[in-house]
Amino acid sequence: MQEQKIYQSAKKAILLLASLIISFCYYSCSQKPDNSNALVNKKYSMYILGKDGKEYIIETNSLDSGKILPEKQGAILDAKAMDRDIIVKNGSYYHLNRKKATLSKYNLQNDSLNAIASIPLKDFSIENYFWVGTDSLLLTGLDINGFKQAKYVVIETKKMKLISSGNLAIPQPSGKFTSMSIGFVELRKNHLFLGYTYHQQLSSSNYTTSDTTYIAELRYPQMNLLKVDKDTRSTYPGGINTVQSYSFNDEHNNYYFMSCPGIALGNRPDLPTGIFRIKAGEESLDKDYFINISSSLINNHAYGMWYLGNNKAIIRSERKDLFKGLSDHYSTAHFEFYLVDLAAAKVLKKLNLPLDKGTRRECVIVKDNVAYIAVNSSTQGNFIWIYNIQTGSLKKGLELAGNTDFIMRIDNLNP
């Protein structure tokens, strides 16, 4: 909400700071475009925001080395129709154009991102997505006008056909609360868990959040409400996962999610960022489990969490001593990455990476005992860093150069 407004302002500011001249030698040492593989599925994709405000999708087979210039090797996007809040799976991209009320499926072909199928989706703002099957996509969201009514749609993505849709039987905001957010979705057999909370509008440009995390349990696919669990240890459970990841299952099917009460999401900085757990086979929060991130050695709020395996996770935390407020939260390099031990319920250490910038980003891919971490550094450039999960070593991998200002997201195209 607030951060989205800051993001749009940042984009406008970036246009005024456009870099118009890049030397010939800078280009000559970069990778050359490989148009021969334009129709071949690549392994990874990257969403790039340029210094001049242009946006690009780039697909590549390697994040380990090399250099890419988005203006040379990327597909330029229509910023009016596309944004970073995309869903990526099996070589395709899904995006909701709220103005046109249409969810479209895109493929990258011949250096262009082309819509290959669409489905109407009226009065719907996506909050979270969940793949309930190989080609069955569950979207949860809210009505556009008031963000008060929780809604859902289930889509068969091969043919882009609507399977089911309707309102979710979750209590609407009332009293001083004027809107709500759905922060995570988890399906266990025929039980669907939704984390959510409520917001209070303080002014035309400011809001705050309830002190409570709510978890609704519904029967799936009927979508009737079974119960609502509450917890006041933190608030704003999860976040919009088309923009950034906040939850996962471990190898034993224990479910973990992060709360985000910091100023960029919940705007309840008096409450701690925390990690919660729902044990495998359980239908309620583990009341004995909570990692207080804000009182750990991090001593700040965090946004974003990714699972490494073997009870370890990476979280991305802000440095409150390095930014002044939401006005520079996105543009100032102040984010750090930390390693968390979920079994011991403690923060282990800070990763030796440059300070990162960009409030919310999908910036970690875990594959074959390696975590690829996208870092937008003001001093060292924009790189994919390679973290060896077993040895703890870090080194630079692929560089995003040229017109690159922000690596907005990195995705595994064909997991």
Side-chain angles (χ1 to χ4, degrees):
M1 296 172 69
Q2 279 186 309
E3 186 261 323
Q4 288 175 335
K5 296 178 182 178
I6 296 301
Y7 169 57
Q8 295 298 330
S9 300
K11 286 178 68 175
K12 293 178 182 178
I14 288 167
L15 287 169
L16 301 175
L17 300 173
S19 174
L20 301 177
I21 300 175
I22 301 175
S23 66
F24 172 78
C25 65
Y26 201 61
Y27 283 117
S28 63
C29 63
S30 67
Q31 294 178 194
K32 294 182 179 180
D34 182 7
N35 294 323
S36 63
N37 292 328
L39 297 178
V40 177
N41 286 338
K42 300 292 182 70
K43 294 180 180 178
Y44 310 102
S45 73
M46 294 170 286
Y47 196 113
I48 305 299
L49 175 63
K51 298 172 185 176
D52 57 3
K54 293 179 180 177
E55 299 178 8
Y56 309 85
I57 284 283
I58 299 168
E59 293 185 355
T60 182
N61 277 322
S62 177
L63 301 175
D64 294 275
S65 62
K67 182 186 292 187
I68 287 179
L69 310 179
E71 65 273 27
K72 290 289 185 179
Q73 292 135 277
I76 193 165
L77 304 175
D78 179 358
K80 294 181 180 179
M82 184 60 62
D83 206 341
R84 59 177 170 155
D85 56 340
I86 55 178
I87 300 167
V88 183
K89 187 176 183 183
N90 293 337
S92 295
Y93 304 83
Y94 301 85
H95 183 260
L96 173 63
N97 187 321
R98 293 199 321 190
K99 289 184 178 180
K100 293 184 177 181
T102 301
L103 179 76
S104 296
K105 179 179 181 179
Y106 296 84
N107 282 351
L108 187 63
Q109 298 175 338
N110 297 321
D111 300 323
S112 178
L113 194 65
N114 301 313
I116 60 172
S118 296
I119 186 171
L121 210 57
K122 295 182 179 179
D123 191 27
F124 196 88
S125 175
I126 296 176
E127 293 278 289
N128 264 256
Y129 72 91
F130 185 91
W131 292 97
V132 294
T134 304
D135 299 303
S136 297
L137 177 62
L138 167 64
L139 301 175
T140 56
L142 301 166
D143 64 302
I144 291 175
N145 293 326
F147 301 103
K148 294 180 179 181
Q149 176 63 62
K151 311 175 76 172
Y152 79 95
V153 296
V154 181
I155 296 168
E156 195 278 307
T157 56
K158 250 185 184 177
K159 298 180 180 179
M160 289 298 282
K161 182 174 64 175
L162 181 67
I163 298 175
S164 62
S165 64
N167 293 334
L168 291 168
I170 295 174
Q172 293 189 19
S174 61
K176 65 180 180 180
F177 298 114
T178 53
S179 63
M180 64 186 300
S181 292
I182 298 173
F184 70 79
V185 178
E186 167 68 358
L187 180 63
R188 290 186 171 180
K189 295 183 179 179
N190 64 339
H191 286 208
L192 188 71
F193 298 87
L194 276 79
Y196 66 97
T197 193
Y198 299 106
H199 306 296
Q200 177 187 2
Q201 196 73 26
L202 299 176
S203 69
S204 59
S205 60
N206 194 22
Y207 71 96
T208 188
T209 298
S210 160
D211 64 357
T212 304
T213 284
Y214 297 88
I215 300 177
E217 182 183 348
L218 301 99
R219 191 176 303 281
Y220 183 85
Q222 295 86 355
M223 294 300 194
N224 55 299
L225 183 64
L226 298 176
K227 69 175 184 179
V228 174
D229 198 5
K230 301 179 182 180
D231 199 294
T232 56
R233 289 176 290 181
S234 185
T235 190
Y236 206 117
I240 298 175
N241 71 344
T242 56
V243 176
Q244 191 174 51
S245 296
Y246 305 86
S247 61
F248 49 76
N249 280 286
D250 67 11
E251 299 91 338
H252 307 290
N253 208 35
N254 297 302
Y255 184 73
Y256 295 89
F257 67 88
M258 171 186 280
S259 63
C260 299
I263 63 168
L265 283 180
N267 201 23
R268 279 297 301 267
D270 55 304
L271 295 177
T273 292
I275 298 176
F276 293 82
R277 179 175 69 185
I278 302 175
K279 285 184 178 181
E282 299 292 331
E283 297 178 357
S284 300
L285 273 178
D286 183 350
K287 298 293 185 180
D288 297 322
Y289 186 91
F290 183 72
I291 305 178
N292 189 323
I293 299 301
S294 300
S295 67
S296 71
L297 61 92
I298 293 176
N299 195 31
N300 284 287
H301 286 291
Y303 315 90
M305 181 173 69
W306 298 266
Y307 190 51
L308 300 178
N310 296 318
N311 295 310
K312 303 296 191 301
I314 285 178
I315 62 173
R316 186 171 179 265
S317 65
E318 67 185 17
R319 281 275 302 273
K320 59 188 174 186
D321 58 314
L322 296 179
F323 65 91
K324 297 177 182 178
L326 275 179
S327 61
D328 65 340
H329 199 271
Y330 191 82
S331 58
T332 299
H334 71 276
F335 283 95
E336 298 176 327
F337 294 85
Y338 281 82
L339 184 66
V340 177
D341 187 325
L342 299 167
K346 63 182 294 187
V347 177
L348 295 178
K349 65 176 181 179
K350 182 173 77 71
L351 298 185
N352 188 24
L353 291 165
L355 289 172
D356 187 23
K357 62 181 180 179
T359 296
R360 295 183 299 161
R361 299 191 304 112
E362 187 59 28
C363 55
V364 178
I365 293 176
V366 179
K367 194 169 186 178
D368 299 330
N369 290 314
V370 168
Y372 295 99
I373 306 171
V375 177
N376 302 316
S377 170
S378 299
T379 57
Q380 298 190 38
N382 301 306
F383 280 87
I384 308 297
W385 285 75
I386 302 169
Y387 174 64
N388 187 307
I389 297 171
Q390 292 182 325
T391 67
S393 66
L394 275 163
K395 65 178 181 179
K396 286 181 178 178
L398 177 66
E399 180 181 7
L400 280 299
N403 192 34
T404 303
D405 197 11
F406 287 85
I407 306 169
M408 298 301 299
R409 65 181 301 130
I410 58 175
D411 289 280
N412 197 344
L413 268 176
N414 295 285

